[in-house]
Amino acid sequence: MFRIAVCDDEAYFRNREKGLIEQYMGKRGYDCQITLYASGKELLERTDSGFPYDIIFLDISMEEMDGLQTAERIRRLSETVCIVFVTAYITFALEGYKVGAVRYLLKEEGSLEKALKECLDTITERLNKEEAVCEFAFQSGKKKLSADAILYVESRLHRVIFFVMEDGVQEYSRYDRLDAVEEKLRQYGFCRVHQSFLVNMKHVIGVERYKVTLEDGTEVGISKKYYKDVEKEYIRRQGEI
């Protein structure tokens, strides 16, 4: 899940940016949580114990504490959060890059949507690469797994079993709920196909009633509850190839 903050003292632009971000994330199947702030001061007051965001869209021209001052304070809390300035003026660009701003987006209605899309393309690609390795505590010990290497996950007798491509297909198990694993892996292209199965759609080579076929030949059943969503996601991914 991408955790995003939008900080702007103009309600119109706060809501406009929120809508464009939701539209972008929805089209790509990403989960996101967006929090809106009307001032830099409000943002910092809510996050004084740490900075719980991956991305922040920050207006520069705000009263009391402007965007540059806010960004400087943010950098003391987090070196990794992606800061994007959204402003009507480009004159502070050099100052913005001193605090590691990823982009400057201009508040021009005709170009904001395109610029924001291109900006999020860059950021989500970077964050996905950084987060593509997941660590789990299995019964055999802690292990880091590449999300791309996981074929599917099965829930069985209060355990979840990961089927991972490593010199063939290896199995790793832990006591957990499949719902919790789904929450962690959904952003990497995993899809629930059954109450007991979560599959990596990157490795699905076929969908038919009522099963998915994975590239290693494994067939996993799809319940009627999930069939339409799985079929839709498979067709969407085929269109991207």
Side-chain angles (χ1 to χ4, degrees):
M1 175 182 288
F2 293 109
R3 301 161 303 167
I4 301 170
V6 175
C7 182
D8 197 307
D9 60 358
E10 295 181 79
Y12 170 81
F13 281 105
R14 283 199 304 276
N15 293 314
R16 175 64 173 151
E17 291 162 38
K18 180 176 184 287
L20 291 174
I21 295 166
E22 288 176 334
Q23 180 181 338
Y24 175 94
M25 295 293 179
K27 285 183 177 178
R28 286 153 184 79
Y30 293 140
D31 285 334
C32 70
Q33 182 179 32
I34 304 173
T35 307
L36 304 182
Y37 296 99
S39 70
K41 183 179 179 181
E42 179 188 11
L43 169 63
L44 291 167
E45 285 176 347
R46 300 278 184 87
T47 56
D48 57 1
S49 60
F51 203 76
Y53 299 109
D54 303 301
I55 312 168
I56 174 171
F57 290 85
L58 187 60
D59 183 26
I60 288 184
S61 300
M62 295 186 290
E63 295 183 1
E64 192 171 357
M65 178 182 290
D66 65 31
L68 291 171
Q69 293 171 321
T70 304
E72 289 173 356
R73 293 274 298 277
I74 288 170
R75 276 289 172 250
R76 298 174 196 169
L77 298 170
S78 172
E79 296 180 358
T80 60
V81 62
C82 297
I83 298 174
V84 179
F85 285 119
V86 186
T87 179
Y89 309 99
I90 199 65
T91 53
F92 296 106
L94 290 177
E95 293 296 321
Y97 290 120
K98 290 180 182 179
V99 293
V102 177
R103 290 286 177 89
Y104 254 86
L105 306 184
L106 289 177
K107 289 181 175 180
E108 295 178 353
E109 192 60 39
S111 62
L112 180 59
E113 181 175 356
K114 180 180 179 181
L116 190 143
K117 173 187 174 298
E118 293 173 349
C119 174
L120 284 174
D121 282 343
T122 299
I123 292 175
T124 55
E125 181 179 2
R126 176 199 298 182
L127 293 178
N128 281 332
K129 285 181 179 179
E130 291 175 353
E131 298 176 359
V133 176
C134 307
E135 183 175 77
F136 291 94
F138 294 109
Q139 289 178 277
S140 56
K142 286 187 177 181
K143 184 175 179 62
K144 291 183 179 180
L145 296 175
S146 165
D148 287 348
I150 303 170
L151 280 167
Y152 67 102
V153 185
E154 178 183 359
S155 174
R156 188 193 305 166
L157 298 176
H158 306 294
R159 293 185 302 149
V160 288
I161 303 169
F162 288 64
F163 293 82
V164 184
M165 294 184 294
E166 289 179 348
D167 297 323
V169 178
Q170 306 297 324
E171 298 181 20
Y172 300 95
S173 66
R174 57 180 274 137
Y175 287 99
D176 204 346
R177 294 165 48 252
L178 193 59
D179 288 348
V181 177
E182 179 184 9
E183 180 69 22
K184 187 167 185 177
L185 294 179
R186 186 186 295 123
Q187 64 181 302
Y188 303 120
F190 284 73
C191 185
R192 190 72 167 261
V193 300
H194 188 278
Q195 182 178 351
S196 300
F197 291 99
L198 182 68
V199 303
N200 188 340
M201 294 301 291
K202 294 177 182 177
H203 298 303
V204 173
I205 60 173
V207 173
E208 57 184 286
R209 294 184 182 270
Y210 279 100
K211 66 181 180 182
V212 295
T213 302
L214 302 175
E215 58 190 33
D216 72 329
T218 299
E219 294 182 348
V220 178
I222 310 174
S223 66
K224 290 183 179 180
K225 175 181 177 180
Y226 296 104
Y227 182 78
K228 288 186 178 180
D229 289 339
V230 175
E231 182 183 46
K232 182 178 179 180
E233 177 62 15
Y234 176 69
I235 291 171
R236 185 188 72 81
R237 286 180 172 273
Q238 289 298 104
E240 293 179 351
I241 297 175

